[in-house]
Amino acid sequence: MRHARTLAVLLGLAACVGPEVPEVVSGEWGGVHLGLVVTAAGADLEYDCAAGRITGAVRPDGNGRFAAVGVHFPGHGGPIGIDTTGESHPARYVGTVRGDQMTITVTLTDTGDQLGTFTLIHGASPHVFKCL
């Protein structure tokens, strides 16, 4: 009976431990309307008809929360001229990472516009729709 109680306590403790939180996020992450490629130096984001860049390592705290800054590049349909300078906006990227799942919210800091909250899976292919 004593072993059964010990086993029950250990199983209960294991249930309290959530998915692993990485010290630094890396790799390819995919979801609906967003793909993210993360390295130790930053991250590149590809949205439906837009792109972005996080300009530093994505380092979650002990609870999996992170905040990072970067740039957002709105896109448009049709060809882009060689001499065309793309519009850009400073952006804040806030989210959480737990195991192989990430949730990220993108906000343009110059306008206050929130572009959305996205759920991504590590190693998954993104489902991004290109502008035509």
Side-chain angles (χ1 to χ4, degrees):
M1 186 71 170
R2 181 174 180 201
H3 293 292
R5 273 191 236 148
T6 302
L7 181 59
V9 169
L10 290 175
L11 289 174
L13 288 173
C16 292
V17 177
E20 187 176 320
V21 174
E23 185 176 318
V24 177
V25 176
S26 64
E28 295 184 19
W29 298 75
V32 177
H33 307 296
L34 180 63
L36 179 65
V37 178
V38 188
T39 68
D44 290 312
L45 296 92
E46 183 178 9
Y47 308 86
D48 297 344
C49 201
R53 175 93 181 120
I54 294 175
T55 54
V58 178
R59 296 184 183 277
D61 66 14
N63 294 315
R65 293 184 300 255
F66 67 88
V69 296
V71 182
H72 176 77
F73 304 99
H76 60 79
I80 299 172
I82 294 172
D83 296 330
T84 303
T85 303
E87 178 184 354
S88 66
H89 296 274
R92 182 166 175 81
Y93 303 91
V94 177
T96 57
V97 177
R98 296 286 173 126
D100 67 348
Q101 185 169 328
M102 176 190 300
T103 301
I104 187 168
T105 300
V106 182
T107 304
L108 303 182
T109 58
D110 59 346
T111 64
D113 291 340
Q114 190 176 84
L115 301 181
T117 298
F118 306 90
T119 300
L120 307 171
I121 303 297
H122 187 255
S125 296
H127 300 282
V128 177
F129 303 94
K130 294 295 188 181
C131 293
L132 300 176

